[in-house]
Amino acid sequence: MTTTKKLKWLLSLVLIFGGFTIYKLFEGLVHNPAYQEYEWIFKIISEFGLFVSVVVSVGYFHHWFIAAEEHKESEINLRETLSTYVDSILLNSVKRGFSGITNKEFDFSQIMQGLKPGDYVYWLITFDPRFKNKSRELENGIKNGVHFRMLILKADCRIGELRATETTGFNPHEFNEYSKLFKVTLEDVINRIGNKITGSLGVFVYDGLPCIPLFIIIRKESRKVEVYNSYYLTEPVSKMPYLHWETGLNFSEQTSFESECWNMAELFLEYFKTRWEMEKEKLYGTTEKEVAENKDFIFAPASAREKCIELFIE
């Protein structure tokens, strides 16, 4: 509770008990024969004190026990009304999981602060030129028990060169250097993760199609999936807004798009899983038992390689 709110509640209590005290005090003076000459003044002051005490008490009671419920009910009604209109205007967007769009660029710090132990984060990206300043937040998330799985673009690949030529303010050489720096920064984080850390990080370096930037959060406690996605346009993706999608955590084997209740968040999640499995296959030999060494897979903690290869498991 803020200082301002504390002062407001203190003032309310002072008015309640102060008003009642004034009422009792002057009520006694009203019936005192020694002050019959001022009886009418004391009567007014007494009743005013009672009035203040009762009115503030009723307001206090209403705020705590009635207004809160009315506010919740109003929010529910407003949300249902908005959903009805938004859904009709944006062609079933609410039904398909649409939750909104970020005001401007993706707020990495705010998202990271909302993660809890046991949550999983899937991140598909080329690179983020701001990431060096955000790597500490990733490290803290892992140390707090969050599991990250990342797909990042390989430096010196043809896809990076093509992306650089269409991005404002970048040339292929600069884009390539940022891609290298992105991986190096991740490796620095990995070097600071000890074997006793409960979270984990698995990173595949890909050289295929980048698709679209994806940031997927699987919230274990609330059993929800949140997806943030943007697009590769002429501006660096770090400067672009992201769309926000939500759905419940569902492990149905049915292809989500074949279902009548298909959801965009599920489709994005399925796409990331497919891309992850494609990279994962490169780690296995013909026996599919022993994991081969691969410089395009980096992970932490060092003692949990098999765990870092796996995605979320129920």
Side-chain angles (χ1 to χ4, degrees):
M1 184 181 292
T2 63
T3 302
T4 303
K5 286 186 177 179
K6 289 180 180 178
L7 291 175
K8 285 182 178 178
W9 288 119
L10 179 61
L11 177 61
S12 299
L13 292 174
V14 169
L15 290 174
I16 291 171
F17 292 107
F20 187 75
T21 301
I22 292 173
Y23 162 71
K24 295 297 293 183
L25 177 63
F26 283 90
E27 182 69 14
L29 293 176
V30 168
H31 299 289
N32 191 326
Y35 299 102
Q36 285 187 352
E37 183 180 351
Y38 304 102
E39 177 183 352
W40 66 277
I41 296 177
F42 293 152
K43 188 68 174 176
I44 292 174
I45 296 174
S46 172
E47 291 182 355
F48 177 75
L50 180 62
F51 174 78
V52 170
S53 180
V54 171
V55 168
V56 176
S57 297
V58 171
Y60 194 90
F61 178 85
H62 179 271
H63 178 85
W64 275 104
F65 299 100
I66 300 176
E69 291 300 321
E70 290 179 345
H71 180 69
K72 289 181 181 178
E73 186 175 345
S74 298
E75 281 189 341
I76 293 173
N77 292 335
L78 179 61
R79 191 180 301 114
E80 290 177 350
T81 302
L82 286 175
S83 295
T84 300
Y85 284 100
V86 171
D87 211 28
S88 61
I89 295 171
L90 298 182
L91 303 176
N92 295 320
S93 61
V94 175
K95 182 179 180 181
R96 303 311 175 194
F98 183 67
S99 295
I101 183 171
T102 59
N103 185 42
K104 200 174 180 183
E105 61 190 49
F106 183 64
D107 193 337
F108 184 80
S109 298
Q110 182 180 7
I111 298 297
M112 295 297 287
Q113 291 172 8
L115 299 176
K116 296 182 179 180
D119 289 347
Y120 273 71
V121 174
Y122 301 163
W123 194 5
L124 168 61
I125 197 171
T126 51
F127 74 90
D128 186 339
R130 308 168 304 169
F131 183 72
K132 187 173 179 59
N133 300 323
K134 306 288 186 181
S135 60
R136 187 64 66 178
E137 294 170 80
L138 174 67
E139 179 182 342
N140 291 336
I142 298 170
K143 290 181 177 179
N144 290 334
V146 181
H147 304 280
F148 292 85
R149 303 293 180 261
M150 297 179 63
L151 291 167
I152 67 172
L153 187 65
K154 182 183 294 187
D156 297 315
C157 73
R158 177 59 175 162
I159 292 296
E161 181 182 344
L162 293 173
R163 173 59 185 151
T165 58
E166 66 180 13
T167 307
T168 303
F170 285 92
N171 57 58
H173 174 73
E174 186 179 11
F175 191 95
N176 185 55
E177 291 302 308
Y178 269 117
S179 297
K180 290 179 180 178
L181 179 61
F182 193 38
K183 183 182 178 184
V184 168
T185 306
L186 287 172
E187 289 172 335
D188 288 341
V189 171
I190 288 172
N191 291 332
R192 295 192 294 268
I193 301 298
N195 287 328
K196 294 183 179 180
I197 300 301
T198 55
S200 63
L201 171 66
V203 183
F204 278 115
V205 185
Y206 69 89
D207 59 0
L209 295 174
C211 183
I212 59 175
L214 284 177
F215 194 92
I216 304 172
I217 305 170
I218 300 177
R219 301 193 184 276
K220 186 176 182 180
E221 184 177 314
S222 59
R223 298 188 62 76
K224 287 186 177 180
V225 177
E226 290 187 52
V227 177
Y228 294 87
N229 82 276
S230 190
Y231 299 93
Y232 288 118
L233 302 175
T234 55
E235 292 292 329
V237 71
S238 60
K239 297 182 179 180
M240 298 301 297
Y242 275 64
L243 302 181
H244 182 199
W245 310 84
E246 285 189 13
T247 187
L249 191 56
N250 180 17
F251 286 93
S252 173
E253 295 182 357
Q254 183 181 17
T255 303
S256 56
F257 197 62
E258 295 176 355
S259 168
E260 183 179 345
C261 299
W262 63 269
N263 185 286
M264 283 300 299
E266 292 178 351
L267 296 179
F268 286 130
L269 180 60
E270 185 64 29
Y271 178 79
F272 186 93
K273 289 179 179 178
T274 300
R275 289 291 299 269
W276 186 265
E277 290 300 320
M278 289 169 58
E279 299 299 325
K280 181 179 172 181
E281 288 178 3
K282 299 175 183 179
L283 295 179
Y284 293 91
T286 55
T287 61
E288 295 189 0
K289 292 182 179 180
E290 295 186 1
V291 179
E293 292 296 327
N294 189 326
K295 63 181 180 179
D296 290 333
F297 177 66
I298 55 178
F299 60 95
S303 61
R305 189 171 191 235
E306 289 289 349
K307 177 181 179 181
C308 296
I309 295 173
E310 299 303 324
L311 298 178
F312 177 81
I313 300 177
E314 177 71 15

